[in-house]
Amino acid sequence: MINIHLYPSAFLNESRILREAGSLSQLALFDRIDLVGVGEEGLAPVEKLQDGICIVRPGQRKGSGLVGKLARTASWSRAVYHLYRKEELGCVNCHSVATLPLGVMLKRKTKAKLVYDAHELETETNNLSGMRKLLTRQVERRLIGHADHCIFVGSAIEQWYVREYGLHNTTVLYNCPSRRQVKPSDHFRTVFSIEPGTPIFLYQGYIGEGRGIRILVEAFSALAGRAALVVMGYGPLADWVAKEAQHLPGIHYHPAVAPERLLDYTAAADFGLSVIEPTSLSYEYCMPNKLFEYVMAGKPVLVSPTREQSEFVRRHAIGEVASGISPAAIREGVLSLLGRDPHALQAALTRTAGEFCWEGQEKTLEALYLDTLGLRSFQGTAKQPWEAKHDLCH
């Protein structure tokens, strides 16, 4: 029996899906797990990651604009449907609303279970507008009821979906890193020649609009000598940050690093930053991965007052919530955080890291799959995986 995960990307850095696939592989509920994405020039159409897990990339990214994207999605969906319609599928995972029509078709054809694993509030994202937003809303409203279970990245987003669609089978699965001890590092201080007494605040992740990047640069440029800002990652504003760093004291740009090395670099900062601008409902309700990464690395955080992350920080006493998202509010938050008791912050971070790690989320994932597949009392060898008819990985 096969489990497929549908997501229209090349699967170069999809940490959440890779974590889920790894955990499901350990449970031995399926013979094979395929991460089905989109082909790109230079990438293998089939890539084996480990025993039982591989990436399958049919087709390539082509077309732009609404019509081009619709045509591209339709072409990719047809290719994937024909690839799997005769396979023995046990569960189809849709990781975006764009894959939901394909998931429903495969469920009807193969009698597989269907899991909708939304990575954000899919119909209220920052880049959706006009006809595309209308079509996305219609697709989700009409098809979400076909899902046997829905997974969401945070409680606020889950509550929205429950209210909007009257869902019952839902689970929150936070995108937490695995539990580990992170060793201290002086990497940023050495690379950027930051004075030993100057605290380092780190923003890591996607460097684009809506992530407070311009606000952070302006805020920390007025804190030169009192605090340093390191912006690490990739995105459309990365070059802008790099140019600003050339003439603004206290501002530094660091390229993105491999996901498996991320926490080692996070350890080189003193504090973490997660400033989300509420430019969409999805951003207002978000629960960023970076927040859990800072916690695992033992870094107190400064966050913007968006709904769930601010409530999380206050409840666990792991940092400071800015009064707003202006440069002045960020500066005020920085100074307030610097005045907090470091021992109390570290004790709170240790407790929170123990609770919010992937090992804990893995138990939640196991329970929902056993329930969805009808294997509520799964015990070791009492339930054996089914034999797959074909193996694309060989």
Side-chain angles (χ1 to χ4, degrees):
M1 189 167 68
I2 306 170
N3 173 214
I4 63 173
H5 293 254
L6 306 175
Y7 194 58
S9 81
F11 279 98
L12 298 177
N13 189 25
E14 306 301 341
S15 61
R16 179 181 178 85
I17 302 176
L18 291 172
R19 283 194 187 108
E20 290 184 20
S23 297
L24 291 171
S25 177
Q26 292 178 12
L27 291 174
L29 296 174
F30 306 99
D31 291 290
R32 195 178 87 217
I33 298 174
D34 289 358
L35 312 182
V36 186
V38 180
E40 282 189 5
E41 188 174 351
L43 295 178
V46 177
E47 178 184 348
K48 186 174 181 178
L49 298 181
Q50 63 185 69
D51 288 341
I53 304 178
C54 62
I55 300 172
V56 181
R57 302 184 180 101
Q60 288 194 12
R61 295 174 179 269
K62 295 179 180 179
S64 59
L66 177 59
V67 175
K69 288 179 179 179
L70 289 174
R72 183 180 67 193
T73 299
S75 175
W76 178 77
S77 297
R78 283 194 298 271
V80 175
Y81 179 78
H82 285 291
L83 189 62
Y84 289 99
R85 62 193 172 99
K86 294 183 180 179
E87 294 282 6
E88 188 178 0
L89 299 182
C91 187
V92 177
N93 293 63
C94 295
H95 289 269
S96 73
V97 66
T99 65
L100 198 50
L102 172 60
V104 171
M105 288 191 296
L106 285 171
K107 174 183 178 176
R108 289 173 174 171
K109 181 66 176 178
T110 67
K111 309 303 179 185
K113 297 295 184 180
L114 178 63
V115 173
Y116 184 36
D117 191 343
H119 291 197
E120 54 188 328
L121 209 168
E122 294 281 330
T123 62
E124 304 295 332
T125 60
N126 210 36
N127 60 348
L128 265 186
S129 61
M131 183 58 68
R132 188 177 170 209
K133 185 169 187 173
L134 178 63
L135 289 173
T136 302
R137 284 177 170 177
Q138 290 180 346
V139 166
E140 188 174 70
R141 183 169 295 278
R142 291 182 180 182
L143 298 182
I144 196 169
H146 292 274
D148 296 284
H149 205 100
C150 293
I151 301 174
F152 302 108
V153 293
S155 297
I157 290 178
E158 180 195 39
Q159 291 165 13
W160 185 92
Y161 271 94
V162 169
R163 290 194 307 268
E164 189 71 14
Y165 301 120
L167 303 179
H168 299 288
N169 294 330
T170 65
T171 297
V172 173
L173 195 70
Y174 293 114
N175 196 14
C176 306
S178 297
R179 185 187 291 113
R180 56 170 288 193
Q181 292 292 325
V182 181
K183 297 180 180 179
S185 166
D186 283 329
H187 175 76
F188 296 140
R189 205 170 294 281
T190 301
V191 169
F192 299 120
S193 300
I194 300 172
E195 291 294 327
T198 303
I200 300 173
F201 284 74
L202 172 67
Y203 170 92
Q204 64 187 38
Y206 181 72
I207 305 175
E209 301 293 354
R211 307 300 179 97
I213 303 300
R214 299 181 192 274
I215 296 169
L216 287 171
V217 169
E218 183 176 345
F220 278 87
S221 64
L223 289 169
R226 304 175 72 180
L229 169 67
V230 174
V231 178
M232 183 175 71
Y234 67 95
L237 288 181
D239 288 343
W240 177 82
V241 174
K243 289 178 181 178
E244 293 297 295
Q246 291 176 2
H247 65 86
L248 290 177
I251 308 299
H252 310 281
Y253 169 71
H254 194 290
V257 298
E260 61 271 17
R261 296 290 313 281
L262 180 60
L263 287 182
D264 295 325
Y265 284 83
T266 309
D270 299 301
F271 301 90
L273 295 163
S274 180
V275 179
I276 304 296
E277 302 171 53
T279 53
S280 68
L281 202 57
S282 185
Y283 274 12
E284 173 62 33
Y285 287 175
C286 74
M287 195 60 172
N289 306 348
K290 63 175 63 65
L291 186 58
F292 299 111
E293 291 156 358
Y294 296 145
V295 169
M296 188 58 65
K299 306 304 172 183
V301 296
L302 173 64
V303 303
S304 55
T306 50
R307 179 172 166 175
E308 187 162 1
Q309 71 167 357
S310 62
E311 192 276 333
F312 183 86
V313 170
R314 289 191 179 103
R315 183 171 77 249
H316 295 284
I318 56 172
E320 198 75 29
V321 178
S323 61
I325 55 169
S326 67
I330 297 302
R331 287 195 296 271
E332 180 186 352
V334 167
L335 296 175
S336 179
L337 185 53
L338 290 174
R340 296 278 295 274
D341 179 358
H343 300 292
L345 285 170
Q346 284 304 314
L349 285 162
T350 299
R351 290 193 302 269
T352 308
E355 181 179 355
F356 290 90
C357 57
W358 184 249
E359 287 76 8
Q361 301 305 302
E362 197 171 46
K363 295 177 182 178
T364 300
L365 185 71
E366 176 181 1
L368 79 86
Y369 267 85
L370 295 180
D371 182 64
T372 300
L373 295 172
L375 305 174
R376 297 173 188 270
S377 58
F378 180 87
Q379 294 179 348
T381 57
K383 296 286 186 178
Q384 294 293 333
W386 292 260
E387 181 176 353
K389 295 179 180 179
H390 306 286
D391 192 345
L392 291 172
C393 293
H394 295 286

